[in-house]
Amino acid sequence: MEHYKIALLEGDGIGPEVIAEGVKALNAAGKKFGIEFEYEKALIGGCAYDKTGTPLPDETVSLAKSADAVFLGAVGDWKYDTLPPEVRPEKALLGIRKALNLFANLRPSIVYEELVSSSPLKPELVRGVDIMIIRELTGDVYFGEPKGISTVNGKKTGYNNMVYSEDEVERIAHVAFQTAMKRQKRLCSVDKANVLDVSRLWREVICDVSKQYPEVELSHMYVDNAAMQIIRAPKQFDTIVTGNIFGDILSDEASMLPGSLGMLPSASLSGTNTGMYEPIHGSAPDLKGKDVVNPIATILSASMMLKYSFGNDAAAKSIEDAVKAVLRAGYRTPDIKADGTAVIGTKQMGTLIAEAILA
Ligand code: IPM
Ligand code: MG
């Protein structure tokens, strides 16, 4: 029997609640396809800071490195907003991405037929949308030096540096072109090359790498235009590749195509190290313990784990199909409720999906 060790980093807020439902789905798929999962938990984020004085303890990093995959909930809480930047929960998320060298973040935005009416956009605009956003995850203003707040010419001045080296762009470009090859073979690279030098290099490298993928139709778009086009005509996009900060913003925007941040999963990959899987939403501390949040983003992240870390497309598909079946049967968490649907809680949604996997 296949056997994998999963590091469970539940994190803060609703993190533990959504991870619990993701585990139900993994176990159900494991049962169906003869895969055994062993789980080990470690602290990350505010809960880790409270217990150990650091949001990313060394043990958490070693567990993540030794596991076959990392399953992460969410980090952060307003009560940590006044902490110094070095120990804020968000720092742990950036730290673990960097420690595992997870430079490629895959964020699909798919509008299931069942959810067309949950989108704030017109049905004819979103029906059939299937976009894969590939966000570079270990560079850009998130990690650029110099950074900080200091006094320049007698004035307090804050700065972060947007920086990409050619090898960083090259490796994300390969992931993007290879992903596009398995999809509709259309890749749109998003940058701000009309203004930023870093974007001019980005575009140059993307164009160079494209020569190795002659079958992929490459286009370029400025980020402001891309933000507009994703709402105006989302179906024009197949695969998008972009830098860390533009990808952060565009992926939240793209989550409104299916109508809820609670629907979007993600995979963070390096190609060689352990992959990490997490919903794109945050820790929603105001909703903690209320059994109201949508676990589907986390459950679909489990599906991505089966596909990208364990190469089991059939098991991955069984989770996706189960999500669709439960939505088709009319069950909804409050964030995606629509006329004529039955509103249920986080746990029941997870249980119904697990049952549908095994049905
Ligand atoms: C995300 C989040 C994180 C990011 C935050 C919580 C640090 O917004 O994963 O999109 O900016 O990358
Ligand atoms: Mg974000």
Side-chain angles (χ1 to χ4, degrees):
M1 182 126 117
E2 269 176 85
H3 179 103
Y4 297 113
K5 181 166 125 183
I6 314 291
L8 287 187
L9 312 185
E10 299 172 315
D12 306 314
I14 57 161
E17 290 166 58
V18 290
I19 286 292
E21 305 315 311
V23 166
K24 278 185 200 165
L26 269 183
N27 287 341
K31 195 163 168 194
K32 184 161 181 172
F33 291 89
I35 316 165
E36 202 170 66
F37 297 106
E38 173 197 337
Y39 303 98
E40 207 174 313
K41 290 188 186 180
L43 295 170
I44 192 164
C47 59
Y49 173 79
D50 285 340
K51 291 224 172 81
T52 69
T54 161
L56 184 61
D58 291 343
E59 305 85 80
T60 303
V61 176
S62 2
L63 172 69
K65 283 186 172 163
S66 74
D68 297 304
V70 180
F71 202 16
L72 186 135
V75 298
D77 193 315
W78 302 305
K79 70 179 190 196
Y80 305 108
D81 279 357
T82 50
L83 286 179
E86 288 318 300
V87 289
R88 281 185 62 122
E90 290 79 4
K91 192 79 190 170
L93 195 51
L94 304 190
I96 192 134
R97 288 171 179 170
K98 198 73 170 176
L100 296 172
N101 195 25
L102 303 172
F103 67 87
N105 185 218
L106 275 50
R107 297 189 162 186
S109 175
I110 301 173
V111 179
Y112 294 146
E113 183 55 33
E114 293 74 15
L115 286 185
V116 165
S117 59
S118 302
S119 175
L121 299 180
K122 292 190 192 116
E124 61 271 25
L125 275 186
V126 296
R127 177 168 283 126
V129 160
D130 181 345
I131 305 175
M132 176 64 90
I133 297 182
I134 299 180
R135 168 188 177 195
E136 200 288 332
L137 202 60
T138 51
D140 205 339
V141 286
Y142 276 75
F143 295 95
E145 299 280 350
K147 66 181 169 74
I149 301 175
S150 56
T151 304
V152 178
N153 297 332
K155 289 191 186 69
K156 261 172 60 178
T157 306
Y159 43 92
N160 290 86
N161 189 12
M162 185 177 265
V163 52
Y164 271 117
S165 64
E166 53 185 347
D167 54 320
E168 284 176 313
V169 184
E170 205 179 316
R171 63 184 185 173
I172 194 72
H174 282 290
V175 172
F177 280 104
Q178 282 160 20
T179 306
M181 281 297 287
K182 294 189 202 128
R183 296 173 48 89
Q184 289 177 32
K185 302 191 177 153
R186 289 186 294 118
L187 178 64
C188 178
S189 170
V190 173
D191 63 34
K192 189 70 185 174
N194 50 344
V195 176
L196 303 173
D197 298 300
V198 52
S199 281
R200 281 194 278 276
L201 176 72
W202 173 280
R203 198 176 273 216
E204 190 185 308
V205 177
I206 297 276
C207 287
D208 279 352
V209 174
S210 79
K211 293 179 191 135
Q212 297 174 49
Y213 301 90
E215 280 177 59
V216 176
E217 181 193 316
L218 173 66
S219 59
H220 303 274
M221 207 178 267
Y222 298 139
V223 62
D224 48 350
N225 184 25
M228 188 263 279
Q229 296 294 343
I230 285 174
I231 299 297
R232 194 191 70 86
K235 275 182 267 188
Q236 69 185 287
F237 296 104
D238 171 37
T239 309
I240 292 176
V241 63
T242 189
N244 206 346
I245 188 76
F246 297 157
D248 180 43
I249 298 165
L250 293 181
S251 60
D252 264 33
E253 186 190 6
S255 77
M256 277 300 117
L257 302 173
S260 171
L261 208 46
M263 288 299 300
L264 262 66
S266 82
S268 302
L269 310 170
S270 76
T272 44
N273 302 331
T274 308
M276 187 164 91
Y277 300 85
E278 57 173 314
I280 81 156
H281 61 70
S283 56
D286 52 329
L287 301 177
K288 181 183 173 172
K290 295 190 178 154
D291 195 38
V292 294
V293 297
N294 188 347
I296 293 179
T298 309
I299 291 169
L300 291 174
S301 301
S303 164
M304 293 187 87
M305 180 193 296
L306 291 166
K307 183 181 169 112
Y308 292 101
S309 279
F310 307 139
N312 196 329
D313 288 3
K317 187 165 182 302
S318 77
I319 296 185
E320 254 183 71
D321 288 346
V323 168
K324 287 184 199 165
V326 171
L327 292 174
R328 207 175 307 126
Y331 295 103
R332 300 283 191 277
T333 42
D335 56 311
I336 49 174
K337 70 169 188 260
D339 289 346
T341 59
V343 176
I344 58 173
T346 311
K347 290 185 192 138
Q348 200 187 343
M349 180 58 92
T351 301
L352 288 174
I353 292 170
E355 283 168 6
I357 293 169
L358 288 165

